[in-house]
Amino acid sequence: MSARMTARVLKGVVGALAVAALMVPGAAAKGPGGGGGHGGGGGGGGTGEVAPNSLSVPATFVGGSNPFGLTCDGSFAAPTGDPWTGYTLPGYYYVQGVNSWQATCGYAESAAVTAEWGDNLGGDARLKVGSPIRVEVGLFDTTPNTYTGWVVQKLEPAQLDRVSPYGTLATATDTGFVSNPVTPFDETRVWALGATLSIVATDTGVPVYVGPATAEINSTGRIVYGYNLRVPAAGDYTITFTFPNVTIESTDLGAIGPTADTVSFTVTVTPGGGKGGGKNH
């Protein structure tokens, strides 16, 4: 079946995949931390690392083997299968959850990073009791490399982030379609073995969650750390991530310390309900 003939079929398939993803704990079909499209893994106490999507943005794994079953030997894998069309964004695309590919990834004993929090935590949106609050952090390797990756776009801009399909552009040639890999890619994400998350009521120190910090490969192909937070009462809550063998050199929000592998941010949760949450970051 050709790409042109299967466009409408694909839309139904991707819609079904999105609905299925929302039913799996920790599998968020949305996109932290700078550079566009972030998204969180884990949530509600941590469910382990999940990889519903292809790795599009290169990654460095610190302190151990990667949890996503990736081949991290310095190579990369171009998208497989036929590309698809028929979206609001014109053109043909290799689509997350339907086609598969892999950016370059590698291992390191340590890493220096910048850390960026999800847009919703520092933005204008009110965080409310009873509403899901997306806690998201992305780590960016500051060491230059020549890794290869792919730019992934939201194919239906008017749809909710968690519903829209995402894909990377395919280019027609005389013999078929090819993708558009970028070398060196201008962003490398970092994952750290043994990362932990602590969320406590700032005034009382009463914990909301203390345990592993989990991550996922989000719809834009980035590795992100995340948690689905719900709190029982209005007030300030301090969110702290610790990443062993990682030196955090800077952050867009909050503070670094008391040690260089720790970053924290305090959020204010107001009374009320509503939909809450975050957005692609």
Side-chain angles (χ1 to χ4, degrees):
M1 185 180 295
S2 70
R4 188 178 300 274
M5 292 173 62
T6 52
R8 292 190 176 183
V9 175
L10 174 72
K11 278 193 169 184
V13 171
V14 171
L17 289 171
V19 172
L22 292 174
M23 298 175 65
V24 179
K30 61 166 215 166
H38 300 239
T47 57
E49 267 51 344
V50 293
N53 300 301
S54 295
L55 183 72
S56 301
V57 173
T60 301
F61 292 91
V62 173
S65 60
N66 76 80
F68 304 109
L70 304 173
T71 300
C72 294
D73 57 3
S75 62
F76 60 89
T80 59
D82 292 331
W84 307 84
T85 191
Y87 303 103
T88 299
L89 262 62
Y92 286 81
Y93 293 87
Y94 296 103
V95 178
Q96 286 282 29
V98 180
N99 303 103
S100 62
W101 59 89
Q102 186 193 299
T104 310
C105 54
Y107 298 101
E109 294 183 357
S110 61
V113 306
T114 61
E116 295 191 11
W117 296 81
D119 289 344
N120 63 306
L121 297 181
D124 296 330
R126 295 179 63 194
L127 308 179
K128 299 179 181 180
V129 172
S131 299
I133 300 169
R134 227 15 240 174
V135 175
E136 301 176 347
V137 168
L139 302 180
F140 300 77
D141 197 338
T142 61
T143 303
N145 59 60
T146 57
Y147 285 171
T148 296
W150 282 265
V151 175
V152 170
Q153 297 173 277
K154 182 179 179 181
L155 303 182
E156 295 290 351
Q159 293 184 2
L160 295 174
D161 290 345
R162 67 178 184 270
V163 174
S164 172
Y166 288 74
T168 185
L169 185 66
T171 300
T173 70
D174 291 340
T175 58
F177 287 91
V178 296
S179 65
N180 296 272
V182 178
T183 308
F185 204 82
D186 63 359
E187 177 186 336
T188 301
R189 292 300 179 109
V190 169
W191 177 92
L193 179 67
T196 59
L197 169 63
S198 168
I199 304 175
V200 301
T202 306
D203 293 339
T204 65
V206 174
V208 175
Y209 174 78
V210 177
T214 58
E216 73 171 12
I217 299 175
N218 72 2
S219 53
T220 61
R222 291 169 165 85
I223 292 177
V224 297
Y225 285 89
Y227 184 86
N228 293 325
L229 173 64
R230 287 181 185 268
V231 298
D236 291 342
Y237 293 83
T238 300
I239 304 164
T240 303
F241 282 91
T242 301
F243 302 102
N245 302 307
V246 169
T247 299
I248 301 171
E249 297 184 337
S250 64
T251 176
D252 63 335
L253 297 170
I256 301 171
T259 57
D261 62 355
T262 299
V263 62
S264 62
F265 184 64
T266 299
V267 298
T268 299
V269 180
T270 62
K275 297 184 178 180
K279 68 174 186 177
N280 245 16
H281 177 59

